[in-house]
Amino acid sequence: MRPFITVPLSKHVGRRWLIMGSNVPLLLGWLLAGVTTNLPTLYVARLAWGCATAMQFATVPIYIGEIAEDKIRGALSAFFLLFINIGFLLAYAIGPFTSYWGLTACGGIISLLYLPFSWYLPETPFFLVFKGRLEEASSVLQQLRGKTKDEVQPELDSLQAMIAREYEEEPKISDLWASRGSVKALGICVFLAMLLQLSGIDVLLFYMEELLAKVGTKISPSDGTIIMGVVQVATSCVTPMVVDRLGRKLLMWTTSLGLTIFLTLIGVYALLDNYYKYDVTSVTFLPLLCLIVYMILFTLGVGPVPWILVAEMFPLKTKCLASGICSFMCWLAGFIWTRFFRDVAASYGIYTAFWILAVCCGIGFIFSVALLPETKGKTFDEIQDLLNNRTKQGNPGA
């Protein structure tokens, strides 16, 4: 429920303070994990980490969308996933070579650096204009754009006009379905946020070593996990360079299709190896290769694109609430699938679990081709016209 607590707070305290404040439960989690001597305390630590993550996932995409220029909005949003993957790689690289206490100490020390670095984040121009702090908004725009006060004035005027129009009435939850465009945006973003988890990313990240052992690869699980982490980070460095060139729609349907194919292949390999007991020694490289390709495809499209769209698609007055709903549904889907993955694998075979993931990605492919609009390089008003099927003159489309 933490995303829904974040929503009203963002309206009053701003995006910057929420991002900084997320460090409190983050540090609390590492502290509890470091001193715990029993399982319940570890559960509390995990809950604190979940609160911190929910606050960040509900706020950071909005923050990036509000500070970025239209032409680089997608690229900046993709950096969000890059630094998440760097964090995973650190855990993969440190974990196998240190004790539990060493790992928690490293996590706590890195988290201590979060607050001083985030202190230098500026508040978003949108929030400052919303609060009537126009001089501060102008100053931040000058800092972000590298322009003079006169040069940023048109953007500031546009922000003022947009906020006056969007906040003519007090925002309410029914605004989420007040127009065809709002319903479409919410449906698209909730579906893609859930697809992000139902593609199996958390299952693979949490159970990577176990999965590499189960599917029969000859590489040691710890080495395979580190390879996965390196691939994720390397691909995340490429994503910002392609997301505003290729577009969101192309990245989503191509990567969803690729995930469907490679998850199916892993399932076939596991079926032949674990169930039929065929000799697969000549292709023992296949599971690791498929998982590497999986990570590349996920990091290029299915992973970053939902959060880019969350920052782009919603009207200003519903953006915070919609972001909270998408974040909640994303982590709910992740919790459910992570919880029952082991049960499915134990009862019906690991190959069945991979095929379920493949089916989810196949549905994502069909959805992306048929229903996902392209928002690359478009302004907020152009995206709203696209979602509402309006022409540039504002007349309803067919």
Side-chain angles (χ1 to χ4, degrees):
M1 297 302 291
R2 191 70 186 202
F4 297 117
I5 300 173
T6 303
V7 169
L9 284 177
S10 67
K11 179 181 175 181
H12 298 288
V13 304
R15 287 68 162 127
R16 174 177 178 264
W17 282 104
L18 274 178
I19 292 172
M20 292 172 59
S22 66
N23 195 46
V24 175
L26 190 65
L27 276 174
L28 177 62
W30 285 115
L31 177 63
L32 290 174
V35 302
T36 183
T37 56
N38 56 73
L39 191 58
T41 305
L42 197 58
Y43 285 152
V44 175
R46 185 63 187 87
L47 180 63
W49 286 328
C51 289
T53 303
M55 291 175 71
Q56 291 163 356
F57 270 79
T59 308
V60 173
I62 294 176
Y63 179 88
I64 295 172
E66 290 180 355
I67 66 170
E69 295 178 89
D70 295 332
K71 61 184 179 182
I72 60 169
R73 186 175 56 231
L76 284 182
S77 297
F79 277 103
F80 183 38
L81 187 63
L82 167 62
F83 289 103
I84 291 172
N85 288 334
I86 290 174
F88 277 121
L89 177 58
L90 287 173
Y92 296 157
I94 295 171
F97 308 106
T98 187
S99 66
Y100 167 84
W101 308 112
L103 182 61
T104 56
C106 289
I109 291 169
I110 293 172
S111 297
L112 283 173
L113 300 175
Y114 183 94
L115 186 60
F117 279 105
S118 61
W119 180 264
Y120 293 99
L121 292 174
E123 185 53 84
T124 69
F126 166 81
F127 179 78
L128 294 172
V129 172
F130 176 72
K131 288 296 186 180
R133 294 150 60 180
L134 300 183
E135 285 300 319
E136 288 182 63
S138 176
S139 177
V140 169
L141 280 173
Q142 293 171 56
Q143 176 186 350
L144 293 172
R145 307 291 184 253
K147 297 179 179 179
T148 66
K149 183 175 182 178
D150 290 339
E151 289 173 328
V152 301
Q153 191 60 44
E155 184 174 356
L156 186 63
D157 292 339
S158 176
L159 269 176
Q160 288 181 266
M162 189 184 300
I163 289 172
R165 182 185 70 222
E166 292 291 324
Y167 287 88
E168 188 175 353
E169 296 180 359
E170 186 69 18
K172 49 190 180 298
I173 192 170
S174 60
D175 291 330
L176 286 171
W177 52 85
S179 69
R180 177 179 180 176
S182 295
V183 173
K184 188 183 293 186
L186 186 63
I188 289 171
C189 290
V190 166
F191 177 84
L192 293 182
M194 294 181 70
L195 175 66
L196 184 155
Q197 293 291 347
L198 295 177
S199 67
I201 186 61
D202 271 1
V203 170
L204 296 181
L205 292 176
F206 294 164
Y207 303 136
M208 183 69 73
E209 292 194 16
E210 183 179 330
L211 289 173
L212 287 172
K214 276 189 175 181
V215 296
T217 182
K218 299 305 180 185
I219 296 177
S220 73
S222 60
D223 289 345
T225 301
I226 293 173
I227 292 172
M228 292 293 110
V230 171
V231 169
Q232 277 187 287
V233 172
T235 310
S236 297
C237 293
V238 176
T239 304
M241 294 185 283
V242 300
V243 71
D244 279 323
R245 293 173 182 264
L246 301 180
R248 289 65 158 143
K249 184 182 181 76
L250 177 62
L251 284 175
M252 274 302 304
W253 76 257
T254 53
T255 56
S256 297
L257 177 60
L259 292 181
T260 303
I261 294 170
F262 285 98
L263 285 168
T264 301
L265 286 176
I266 297 174
V268 170
Y269 180 96
L271 178 69
L272 295 176
D273 185 35
N274 297 343
Y275 186 77
Y276 288 112
K277 306 299 181 183
Y278 284 172
D279 182 8
V280 292
T281 52
S282 61
V283 289
T284 52
F285 64 88
L286 187 62
L288 183 62
L289 175 63
C290 287
L291 287 174
I292 288 174
V293 176
Y294 172 97
M295 287 299 181
I296 292 172
L297 294 173
F298 178 87
T299 308
L300 281 175
V302 174
V305 168
W307 304 115
I308 294 172
L309 294 176
V310 166
E312 292 180 330
M313 279 193 160
F314 295 101
L316 295 176
K317 61 182 178 180
T318 60
K319 185 176 291 187
C320 290
L321 181 57
S323 176
I325 291 173
C326 292
S327 180
F328 174 78
M329 295 304 295
C330 172
W331 294 113
L332 177 63
F335 168 77
I336 292 173
W337 186 225
T338 304
R339 166 63 183 82
F340 291 105
F341 180 83
R342 285 177 181 269
D343 296 336
V344 172
S347 301
Y348 304 103
I350 189 73
Y351 46 87
T352 303
F354 277 114
W355 287 340
I356 291 174
L357 298 177
V359 169
C360 291
C361 291
I363 295 171
F365 162 69
I366 296 170
F367 181 91
S368 300
V369 170
L371 298 174
L372 183 62
E374 181 54 75
T375 60
K376 178 185 72 173
K378 290 181 170 62
T379 66
F380 167 77
D381 286 333
E382 288 171 341
I383 293 172
Q384 292 307 301
D385 288 340
L386 182 65
L387 290 170
N388 287 286
N389 291 345
R390 293 194 296 250
T391 65
K392 289 186 178 180
Q393 288 74 33
N395 297 324

